[in-house]
Amino acid sequence: DQQVKQNSPSLSVQEGRISILNCDYTNSMFDYFLWYKKYPAEGPTFLISISSIKDKNEDGRFTVFLNKSAKHLSLHIVPSQPGDSAVYFCAAGGTSYGKLTFGQGTILTVHP
Amino acid sequence: DVKVTQSSRYLVKRTGEKVFLECVQDMDHENMFWYRQDPGLGLRLIYFSYDVKMKEKGDIPEGYSVSREKKERFSLILESASTNQTSMYLCASSPAGTLTDTQYFGPGTRLTVL
């Protein structure tokens, strides 16, 4: 049972435009959400996180939005750059649940 | 900078062999994790450990075991490798606290079982 789902396997965006990556979850115990970025032949690296007490967290070009009622989060990248081309994983966890559960990943390609 | 290293980047083994994947972290982290990454399935947790000699099953522990004799080292063992264990294996560590703290990943080991 996939508790964290990224329904778009891939996304293609023009440089300078906005990239929006989506993630849905089913477990109501999740109260902490993270996005990781992975380049080929490297391990995932932490990008940004959000706690369930917030609905938005911003870090430079990256913003994560959380809609608890819809059990949905999204990552916005503005403006997108070719160096952002990578696989993006969303992950969810909870203080009472423990450990992280990852989504399937979305391959983002930013064209110059 | 946190560094997580894995013993091999690429490994080829035969069905039935015993396989050891080693992971070492240099930041004195209490928590360590083993995941496998497969296309369309994302990262799935195999085992994790929150202290020396402690281990907990993740979501897909079948066919695997782990060992944590020292704080900095976490080993994943495939007792009898099978072709369905061909995958990318990722090790991660995180400091003490909740298990949802940011995890730091190694570069991965791509294992092929023939």
Side-chain angles (χ1 to χ4, degrees), chain B:
Chain B
D1 253 7
V2 177
K3 194 160 185 190
V4 180
T5 56
Q6 296 183 227
S7 50
S8 306
R9 295 301 299 269
Y10 300 93
L11 210 51
V12 180
K13 295 291 181 181
R14 298 217 172 266
T15 302
E17 279 193 79
K18 190 167 186 176
V19 182
F20 292 88
L21 302 182
E22 304 285 340
C23 176
V24 177
Q25 49 94 6
D26 66 358
M27 283 304 291
D28 204 35
H29 284 171
E30 282 73 17
N31 303 325
M32 295 189 76
F33 309 82
W34 275 106
Y35 294 88
R36 61 179 282 178
Q37 181 195 354
D38 300 288
L41 297 175
L43 274 67
R44 293 180 293 166
L45 182 63
I46 304 170
Y47 266 97
F48 63 99
S49 167
Y50 51 86
D51 202 351
V52 175
K53 297 194 186 294
M54 304 301 289
K55 60 184 179 184
E56 293 282 344
K57 291 181 180 178
D59 299 316
I60 51 163
E62 297 78 19
Y64 303 95
S65 62
V66 290
S67 171
R68 191 155 181 213
E69 296 296 319
K70 293 185 177 181
K71 190 176 185 180
E72 68 271 18
R73 188 179 297 269
F74 193 33
S75 303
L76 180 69
I77 303 152
L78 287 66
E79 295 290 341
S80 177
S82 63
T83 54
N84 63 12
Q85 292 179 309
T86 291
S87 186
M88 170 68 82
Y89 289 87
L90 292 159
C91 174
S93 72
S94 70
T98 70
L99 291 170
T100 55
D101 279 350
T102 303
Q103 295 180 15
Y104 298 86
F105 284 84
T109 296
R110 183 161 293 282
L111 172 67
T112 302
V113 183
L114 303 175

Side-chain angles (χ1 to χ4, degrees), chain A residues 2 4 6 10-11 17 24 27 29 34 40-41 43-44 61-62 72 77 85 90 92-93 96 105 111:
Chain A
Q2 194 83 25
V4 178
Q6 294 175 255
S10 62
L11 176 67
R17 307 295 290 268
D24 297 297
N27 192 332
M29 301 290 284
L34 307 91
R61 296 185 297 114
F62 302 92
H72 176 84
I77 306 173
S85 298
C90 73
S96 57
H111 299 282

